[in-house]
Amino acid sequence: MAQQVPLVDYLVLGDDPHLVANECTSCGARFFDRRNACASCFGTEFKKADVSPTGEVRAFTIVSFAAPGIPVPFVAAVIDCDGTSVRGNVINTPADPEHVSLGMKVKLATYEVGTDAAGTEAIGFGFEPLN
Amino acid sequence: MASDDIWILGINMTKFGKHPDKDIVDLAAEAAMAALSDGGVTMKDVGVLAAGNLMSAAAGIGQQLQKQIGQTGIPVYNVANACATGATALRTAIMAIKAGETPVGLAVGVEKLSGAGLLAGGARKADSDEWTPSGRYGAVAGVDGRIGTETMPGVFSQVGMEYGHKYGGTSFELFARISEKNHSHSTLNPMAAYQKKMTLEEIMGDVMVAYPNTRPMCSANCDGAAAAVVVSGEYLKTLSLEQQKRAIKVSASILTSDPYQVACQILPDVNTLTRLAATQAYEQAGVSPQDLDLVELHDCFATAELVHYDNLMLCDEGGAVDFFESGATWRDGKTPVNVSGGLESKGHPIAATGIANIWEVCHHLRGEAGDRQIKDAKVGLAHVIGLGSACGVHILERSAA
Ligand SMILES: [Zn+2]
């Protein structure tokens, strides 16, 4: 199997792909980016916290016009994963309002973004309908 | 009038639309000179200049403007604060007056955006031939479109949908009807970039940009400028009765950024900072939402207008849909919203917007709004929000002189 890298460093690959957040050890606020400090309590200690791979669609849009180089249409969404909000696309279902709805239950799914010159696959994530 | 009150002495906006023969300095000069003339003062009287132009924020629009309309050695503040740039310029001039540095300030906002197309996100770079993590997310390739969207229409569509998920009652048609209202209002505003009444069918049948916002439900990119002369109450007392009568009191001038909320770094939270700004503004002005005769709010997208009914507390919490359905926000309703046509039809030359919406309110408070005059308007509110975020709220009152 080709070597794989995640699209972003907060995506953990393997048998059980999932997202991991930087959780503030003093207030519990969760962030996905590299942190200087906590935006909520200004603390500087963080620990890694696994994010639930299932959740529900809290908000979505179906983007028909995007920047050059981005295939459309696609569904951009905010997923509430057991209390942690995650930004991601809704995938593996048609991008139309008949197939995507507010409150819809979804689960994390990975897909191949592409392969680089060394043959390494980049793996991205999205959320697909649970049923 | 109290000596430490702040007043708008003169104010002006250019027509919004396409101005191919004018550059940003021409537009800024047109608005600034007209605002000075409207106030009956000259550059000689002005003690501070705050100027905003977002698309070329490093170019020093304030000094470029001075070189065309008057170089007097006064301090110039070039400001950039996303779509709140104009409101930030105005507030900067107001702060200088409040600080006692000068009794007279000039604020200008200008933008040329005709044909600018989709804002934000930018082009996604082609994937490199070697996956190398970079940036704060350690991304090996572009994430816009792969992990959600960075386009403004996409972000604000989700803002409206999130409100629908929380409180219910929203639909594509509901959002389109908000747009129908603003396009209808625009027919009375000769300063608007677009003055075309649109039917619900036309709006819903137009090109979808980011569901549920079709093209006419998005703010219109265009060119324009707006400028305001602000003075202290003490200074106003030295002017003519006519100037005092037309002066508009700035009862509240507030600027906020977004306080931390859970998930605010996932989807921008445009609600909390707007509610915070509104709360502070009502308190500073000593007025309540029920006192407002008109509101110009930041309808950068139809979905955004709905949530701001709630954020500005024009309705009960969670009651924005019912509030709109009641007809309250039409120009003959209880709280007319965006009688100018809003950003969807008047247009949104970014840095000009935060002063142009104040011009609109002042125009009504002075009783000079012609065909679209809201009868006997005494108190109005102007709101802008720049994603990132910055929120400006100004409450304006008619002069008692
Ligand atoms: Zn914290």
Side-chain angles (χ1 to χ4, degrees):
Chain A
M1 199 170 93
Q3 203 182 336
Q4 295 184 331
V5 292
L7 176 59
V8 285
D9 61 14
Y10 61 90
L11 169 63
V12 178
L13 302 176
D15 295 338
D16 177 28
H18 62 280
L19 303 180
V20 62
N22 292 317
E23 185 178 290
C24 174
T25 55
S26 36
C27 79
R30 288 183 170 190
F31 305 91
F32 289 102
D33 60 347
R34 174 167 60 79
R35 298 306 301 176
N36 298 88
C38 175
S40 177
C41 77
F42 333 131
T44 53
E45 306 259 317
F46 294 87
K47 64 176 187 194
K48 297 291 178 190
D50 288 350
V51 176
S52 167
T54 60
E56 67 169 46
V57 175
R58 208 183 82 204
F60 76 91
T61 181
I62 303 164
V63 179
S64 308
F65 278 88
I70 298 174
V72 288
F74 66 90
V75 181
V78 176
I79 314 299
D80 183 344
C81 293
D82 226 4
T84 301
S85 286
V86 177
R87 187 189 296 186
N89 290 5
V90 176
I91 60 173
N92 301 336
T93 193
D96 61 53
E98 285 71 49
H99 291 86
V100 184
S101 56
L102 293 168
M104 182 168 105
K105 306 284 186 228
V106 292
K107 68 169 190 290
L108 189 92
T110 57
Y111 65 96
E112 193 192 320
V113 171
T115 305
D116 71 4
T120 303
E121 288 176 353
I123 303 296
F125 73 91
F127 290 85
E128 62 183 16
L130 198 53
N131 301 308
Chain B
M1 63 198 70
S3 298
D4 56 351
D5 283 345
I6 300 290
W7 296 79
I8 289 175
L9 182 66
I11 189 162
N12 181 266
M13 68 176 278
T14 67
K15 180 176 164 51
F16 281 6
K18 292 188 176 73
H19 291 285
D21 302 331
K22 291 175 182 159
D23 63 19
I24 55 171
V25 180
D26 290 322
L27 290 167
E30 181 182 326
M33 290 160 74
L36 290 165
S37 163
D38 184 47
V41 291
T42 72
M43 280 304 284
K44 196 173 164 53
D45 303 303
V46 174
V48 63
L49 170 61
N53 171 251
L54 195 65
M55 302 313 272
S56 47
I61 181 65
Q63 285 85 345
Q64 289 189 59
L65 175 63
Q66 281 184 304
K67 289 185 173 72
Q68 294 302 322
I69 71 169
Q71 294 174 255
T72 55
I74 58 171
V76 172
Y77 297 91
N78 291 295
V79 303
N81 218 355
C83 298
T85 295
T88 303
L90 181 67
R91 178 147 175 70
T92 301
I94 289 172
M95 285 194 298
I97 296 172
K98 282 189 170 170
E101 294 205 353
T102 174
V104 184
L106 174 63
V108 186
V110 60
E111 211 77 58
K112 285 205 76 172
L113 272 185
S114 284
L118 200 63
L119 295 178
R124 188 171 80 191
K125 280 190 300 189
D127 294 339
S128 85
D129 56 5
E130 189 190 341
W131 302 126
T132 310
S134 71
R136 287 193 167 258
Y137 296 97
V140 301
V143 297
D144 187 14
R146 285 175 173 138
I147 303 178
T149 181
E150 286 165 19
T151 67
M152 293 286 164
V155 168
F156 279 97
S157 288
Q158 291 177 85
V159 164
M161 295 292 273
E162 183 184 44
Y163 190 88
H165 182 46
K166 197 168 174 188
Y167 299 113
T170 62
S171 64
F172 175 26
E173 185 185 318
L174 174 93
F175 291 123
R177 281 172 46 217
I178 292 175
S179 185
E180 179 189 24
K181 167 183 73 73
N182 290 350
H183 286 289
S184 172
H185 284 171
S186 77
T187 61
L188 297 173
N189 184 4
M191 306 304 273
Y194 298 95
Q195 282 192 268
K196 186 170 172 278
K197 191 177 172 75
M198 294 188 77
T199 65
L200 189 59
E201 290 70 29
E202 285 171 326
I203 293 166
M204 294 179 75
D206 208 306
V207 176
M208 184 60 76
V209 175
Y211 179 88
N213 285 316
T214 63
R215 189 170 49 189
M217 297 163 72
C218 302
S219 51
N221 290 334
C222 66
D223 310 330
V229 176
V230 279
V231 299
S232 67
E234 192 172 2
Y235 185 84
L236 185 59
K237 284 178 192 165
T238 68
L239 301 179
S240 72
L241 188 60
E242 180 59 20
Q243 282 167 305
Q244 291 181 23
K245 274 184 179 162
R246 288 184 72 250
I248 297 296
K249 187 179 170 192
V250 181
S251 302
S253 172
I254 303 290
L255 190 71
T256 57
S257 61
D258 44 341
Y260 178 81
Q261 294 285 300
V262 171
C264 75
Q265 296 192 16
I266 300 298
L267 178 68
D269 172 15
V270 301
N271 305 318
T272 309
L273 83 165
T274 299
R275 189 170 284 270
L276 183 65
T279 303
Q280 291 176 14
Y282 292 130
E283 192 185 321
Q284 193 173 93
V287 305
S288 79
Q290 287 71 40
D291 298 327
L292 300 174
D293 296 307
L294 76 159
V295 172
E296 288 286 305
L297 64 74
H298 203 71
D299 64 322
C300 49
F301 299 92
T303 45
E305 177 159 328
L306 183 81
V307 303
H308 293 317
Y309 293 157
D310 199 322
N311 297 330
L312 295 172
M313 293 169 273
L314 307 181
C315 61
D316 293 336
E317 198 166 343
V321 172
D322 288 345
F323 182 64
F324 174 73
E325 300 276 17
S326 77
T329 60
W330 283 76
R331 54 170 291 115
D332 57 355
K334 184 164 74 89
T335 312
V337 172
N338 290 334
V339 295
S340 66
L343 278 53
E344 293 162 65
S345 16
K346 182 176 72 175
H348 184 23
I350 302 176
T353 293
I355 297 177
N357 62 358
I358 287 171
W359 177 84
E360 179 69 23
V361 173
C362 289
H363 216 43
H364 290 270
L365 299 181
R366 285 168 160 182
E368 298 174 358
D371 289 346
R372 71 180 183 289
Q373 177 69 41
I374 295 297
K375 196 167 171 286
D376 205 27
K378 293 186 182 68
V379 189
L381 181 149
H383 158 260
V384 285
I385 186 161
L387 211 56
S389 296
C391 176
V393 170
H394 286 86
I395 293 178
L396 306 152
E397 290 185 74
R398 190 162 81 184
S399 168

